[in-house]
Amino acid sequence: MADIRILMLGDIVGEEAVEFVCKHIPELKKQEDIQFCVVNAENSHQGRGINDVIVHQLLNAGADVITGGDHSFDKHLIFPLMEKEKRLLRPYNYPEGVPGFGYGIYEIKNTPFQIAVINLRGLTFFSNPISCPFRAAEKLLMEIKDQTSLIFIDFHSEATAEKWSFARFLDGKVSAIGGTHTHVQTADEQILPYGTGYITDVGFCGPYHSVIGMDTQTSIQRFLYQTPQKYKLAEGDLCLQGAIFELDTDTGLCFSIKRIQFPKFKTSILDF
Ligand SMILES: [Fe+2]
Ligand SMILES: [Fe+2]
């Protein structure tokens, strides 16, 4: 029996956050004895989408797989790389013909093990209907289950109830599920009854004095005037949020899950 420790980081928002994440991945991997690192980077390029430069930066810094979400397709210049780079994922349950890969099976370096990473998107509160992530996952698991018992899912979704239902649906069938998309880390990490590690949202990596990464005033105006505003990224202090999942290679299930976040946010006037 061996254990494999997976680091997952939440949606990276903007180029400055990419630099910040790249700077911290090597030390985090070392400190936490991480064997495999998954990062969601759907908002890495100017807050929406991703580009080739960022993909290479993140892979060179030690990310093993880059996942995406509803913003994966915002910058079409990424499409040629998306069609050939298997370490760059977009949600699996988009229609056939959409560029890119929705899952992959990867070697875990310096171990004899492989891990499947699957990226799926939820349906609730998204304007474009894609296929059911529950059924898509079920069907895909039938295809890949003989190849590895280590299966990790980035479930990119808005509604908490959809995320929880998805996790309970797959409990015991996959190693771990880390939620993304809301950019807010949830405090509900747990090992589900049949052994899957789960957290509704691992959080985000980006400017923390913001509205989920967006410039505060711009975001307020969107709601105040109920009109679209030009997207503007927030600037300033950066944070990094994610979770570490420890997996049992014999059972493919999860031993432990731990949230990570730094720097510490101010929760009391006495904090600083
Ligand atoms: Fe996002
Ligand atoms: Fe998203």
Side-chain angles (χ1 to χ4, degrees):
M1 186 192 76
D3 65 336
I4 296 290
R5 291 169 63 81
I6 315 283
L7 168 67
M8 182 183 188
L9 299 180
D11 307 32
I12 303 170
V13 182
E15 270 79 357
E16 278 186 38
V18 173
E19 300 277 346
F20 186 74
V21 163
C22 288
K23 190 175 136 211
H24 286 98
I25 285 178
E27 70 193 47
L28 257 175
K29 284 177 84 167
K30 204 165 159 201
Q31 269 168 19
E32 298 283 353
D33 191 22
I34 299 297
Q35 280 88 46
F36 200 82
C37 173
V38 179
V39 299
N40 185 302
E42 69 148 5
N43 306 103
S44 55
H45 183 33
Q46 301 164 346
R48 291 178 172 180
I50 186 165
N51 66 12
D52 294 35
V53 173
I54 293 169
V55 169
H56 294 126
Q57 271 180 293
L58 290 168
L59 294 175
N60 287 339
D64 294 291
V65 174
I66 301 166
T67 52
D70 50 311
H71 289 298
S72 285
F73 312 100
D74 286 3
K75 302 283 180 358
H76 68 277
L77 291 178
I78 192 65
F79 290 178
L81 184 63
M82 211 180 228
E83 277 173 351
K84 62 179 186 218
E85 176 52 78
K86 294 195 169 153
R87 294 170 294 176
L88 173 62
L89 299 180
R90 47 78 172 166
Y92 176 72
N93 49 332
Y94 272 75
E96 218 170 290
V98 164
F101 304 96
Y103 78 98
I105 297 174
Y106 309 93
E107 304 292 333
I108 302 175
K109 288 177 204 121
N110 305 316
T111 78
F113 305 107
Q114 292 186 313
I115 184 166
V117 180
I118 305 170
N119 194 186
L120 285 150
R121 204 207 76 186
L123 299 180
T124 311
F125 302 132
F126 289 98
S127 56
N128 56 336
I130 56 176
S131 60
C132 169
F134 291 65
R135 292 179 177 86
E138 194 173 41
K139 191 160 167 277
L140 180 59
L141 291 177
M142 290 300 288
E143 287 170 30
I144 65 170
K145 68 175 194 293
D146 294 337
Q147 295 179 60
T148 178
S149 64
L150 299 175
I151 301 170
F152 184 85
I153 299 183
D154 173 350
F155 188 43
H156 193 83
S157 190
E158 177 80 31
T160 308
E162 185 179 13
K163 285 167 135 172
W164 264 99
S165 301
F166 180 81
R168 296 302 299 261
F169 180 68
L170 295 180
D171 183 15
K173 297 182 179 128
V174 301
S175 311
I177 301 169
T180 54
H181 177 70
T182 70
H183 297 198
V184 176
Q185 190 178 65
T186 54
D188 62 349
E189 73 277 20
Q190 63 173 270
I191 308 294
L192 299 175
Y194 296 102
T196 294
Y198 172 69
I199 179 168
T200 297
D201 210 296
V202 296
F204 89 124
C205 302
Y208 61 88
H209 289 126
S210 69
V211 176
I212 61 170
M214 192 176 182
D215 174 68
T216 302
Q217 288 309 318
T218 312
S219 185
I220 290 172
Q221 282 168 20
R222 272 175 65 196
F223 292 96
L224 204 54
Y225 300 116
Q226 293 298 318
T227 51
Q229 305 289 324
K230 188 172 162 37
Y231 185 88
K232 192 175 167 204
L233 272 176
E235 290 173 1
D237 297 334
L238 296 161
C239 69
L240 181 150
Q241 296 178 336
I244 293 168
F245 303 82
E246 193 176 8
L247 310 183
D248 177 344
T249 56
D250 278 355
T251 62
L253 297 173
C254 190
F255 279 132
S256 76
I257 167 169
K258 176 175 89 166
R259 274 184 286 139
I260 54 165
Q261 169 176 292
F262 66 81
K264 190 179 180 297
F265 296 154
K266 189 174 179 177
T267 53
S268 155
I269 57 165
L270 302 177
D271 275 353
F272 298 99

